[in-house]
Structures are given as C-alpha cells and as structure tokens.
Amino acid sequence: MNIEKLHEKRILEFCKSCISYYIDYLTPNEINLINNIIDDTKLYKSSESELLKIAEKIWDNELSSGKYKVISWSKFADQKRKKFITFATLSKADEINSFCNSDLGIEYSITYKSIIGALNKDGATIIEDISKKNDFTIAIINNKVINSYMQLNLLLQYNY
C-alpha cells in the first residue's frame, strides 16, 4: 500500500471514530465536514487543517478528563548503563500499560500539543544524526532527526 493510500485510510478511520465515539465534542459544522470526508475521502486534502483542529479538541478533552494517564517509563533504570530506553504510554487510568514490564515511570500531565507521535502498538522514537532522515522522520531539531519506528528491535543498534 502506498503512503497516500495509507494516509487516506487513516483519515477515514479517524473520521469514523469521531462520529462513533466523539460526536458529543463536535459542532454541527464539524459533523457535516466529517460526513463529507467519509463519503469522499479525497476531500481530506482540502480539510486537513480543520481535521487537525478537531483532533486537538478531542485529545485535549480526553486528556483533561482524568480518564487517562500518560507515563514515561524507564527500562533498565536499576542497572548502570550509558543510555536508558524511555517510552511513554497512554493508558486508561484503571488499566495502566507499562513499557516492557517496567515498574519505574513518571506520570505527566500533557496536552495534545505535547505529543510528538503515537502508535496503537509497540513503537520507538529515536533521536538520530541528520544523515538518518527517512520516511519515519517526524521532526528535525538542532541538526538531529527524531525518527518514529514501529519495531522496538531497531533500538538494538544503540548498544543499550
């Protein structure tokens, strides 16, 4: 599947999720926009900024509701290592999911704008040299790239 089709599929899933689970957060105009995109997914290209505002509003409402916890976990924190692996999880407050069975973490109070990237399965976000810029690069800061990967085994190259 090419990147554009994958993006289109994710936008469609987002729109359906908005109507199914978050319709109470939406205005009549937002509902109309989302239904139009569901009917013709090509419309998302001209509506991405509006969709982003809707996503931000939903996330901010959900994150401030107290129903969720964002915890940054430290793996191997009890061992002497040059570097630590840290990974944040978003869990329901009564169903905390740790990272690699870690029991040491810091709970954060965050907003939508604090989130760099999110996956619904295991992933890793790694700061790498600018030469490592690729399709997984989600930001460039101080001549370094932030790459978001879906497989944790990519962390092995760092000799943790």
Side-chain angles (χ1 to χ4, degrees), residues 60-98:
D60 277 339
N61 277 306
E62 288 294 291
L63 291 172
S64 65
S65 71
K67 294 187 285 188
Y68 299 94
K69 302 258 183 209
V70 176
I71 300 176
S72 178
W73 302 96
S74 291
K75 184 171 181 181
F76 309 127
D78 58 341
Q79 301 172 21
K80 292 185 179 185
R81 295 178 174 261
K82 287 182 184 178
K83 298 179 182 178
F84 296 104
I85 298 174
T86 59
F87 191 83
T89 61
L90 172 65
S91 305
K92 289 188 175 183
D94 59 350
E95 284 180 41
I96 303 296
N97 296 315
S98 73

Side-chain angles (χ1 to χ4, degrees), residues 137-150:
T137 300
I138 57 176
I140 300 173
I141 301 172
N142 296 331
N143 214 26
K144 297 276 187 185
V145 294
I146 300 174
N147 289 328
S148 178
Y149 296 105
M150 292 182 70

